Amino acid sequence: MRAIKIILRILAGLFAVIIIAIVALMLTFTASELNVARIDVGDLPPASPPAGMSISALPTGSIESKAALAFRGGAWNDIRQFSMTALLVRHPKGNLLIDTGFGKNVDDHVRSLPALLQKTTTYTKDTPVAAQLAGGGMTPGDLAGVILTHAHWDHVSGLDDLGNVPVMVDAAEKGFIDAKTQNTELLNSFNNINYKQYEFEGGPYLGFPSSHDVWGDGSVVIVPAPGHTPGSVVVFVNLPSGTRYAALGDMVWQMEGIELPAEKPWLLRRLIGEDDDQVHKDIAIMRSISKKYPQIHLLPAHDPSAFRMIPVFPQSAN
Ligand SMILES: [Zn+2]
């Protein structure tokens, strides 16, 4: 009798601990405004994009998720399609792709993910980048390079179809790739990737500490924005019309991350291994940029609404 009482007490204690843990975890998904400083981002950097430069979107599919999993305070019944959209920047000095979305082997790629991620990934396939380019009369050989915002699987899946096109990464992301953790397993499974490492030899840019001006005319400028991964970047694309874009990668997953602002839920940040302080700094800068320069359109990689104003390849805007 006494033994039964003790067992019941232990079970009640365990039950209470589990309930407290679940409540604590759910609280990490609730709204919590991120307190970020207003940054002086300086003057609008000059750009002299050539007349022949343009931008196009190449949608390759999407992953179904929920706002609650995208940013703190998002609703659980607010279904969000996470876009997997590559950008093509055509430029007389060389055409560049920014990220690659889903490739033709995406089913295999998803099967290679950790079990939990595999089970929680519901995705829809569109046309892979290589096939879209072919449909518009272009081949991978027409690309001068692919700029990766970072090396996660959903940004590199399409690289599998692009042969030995140079893959442009900064030193920190190359180190992250070479560390061969689970985070970069897919990229490391591709044979003979032709990495082209670049340096941030240029000065400060819109609040970021340094920059890399790809063609030397201010039209495509990469800045370090670490945090989501050690070598994550933002790519600024400045068009002849004066329209400017900032491809944010996964600094935030949906626009609310900048607008509210709000960080990703704690559980997701820990699973990814993000550096919270760095991401907060990036968000502070991007938020200050968008307040001061509304002509710069922010493109969180997985927010389809942000890409709507960019024509789909072979259409383009300049
Ligand atoms: Zn990512």
Side-chain angles (χ1 to χ4, degrees), residues 149-155 228-229 232 249-251 253 264 272 274 302:
T149 61
H150 63 295
H152 281 156
W153 78 273
D154 50 326
H155 296 254
H228 178 65
T229 63
S232 282
D250 287 1
M251 174 194 301
W253 281 328
K264 300 180 190 90
I272 299 163
E274 285 195 357
H302 299 308

Side-chain angles (χ1 to χ4, degrees), residues 177-250:
I177 295 164
D178 289 344
K180 296 200 159 96
T181 62
Q182 204 167 56
N183 290 310
T184 57
E185 210 170 284
L186 181 65
L187 182 53
N188 279 311
S189 76
F190 299 155
N191 294 320
N192 305 322
I193 292 281
N194 175 17
Y195 289 107
K196 190 177 165 193
Q197 201 173 305
Y198 58 85
E199 308 295 327
F200 294 112
E201 73 292 322
Y205 192 94
L206 285 170
F208 289 96
S210 57
S211 57
H212 174 63
D213 182 346
V214 177
W215 296 131
D217 57 10
S219 63
V220 182
V221 178
I222 312 174
V223 300
H228 178 65
T229 63
S232 282
V233 298
V234 169
V235 187
F236 289 91
V237 178
N238 304 322
L239 296 173
S241 63
T243 300
R244 294 182 179 220
Y245 290 101
L248 304 188
D250 287 1

Side-chain angles (χ1 to χ4, degrees), residues 7-24:
I7 289 169
L8 281 176
R9 260 191 214 146
I10 291 171
L11 285 176
L14 272 177
F15 185 68
V17 167
I18 290 168
I19 294 293
I20 288 167
I22 290 173
V23 169

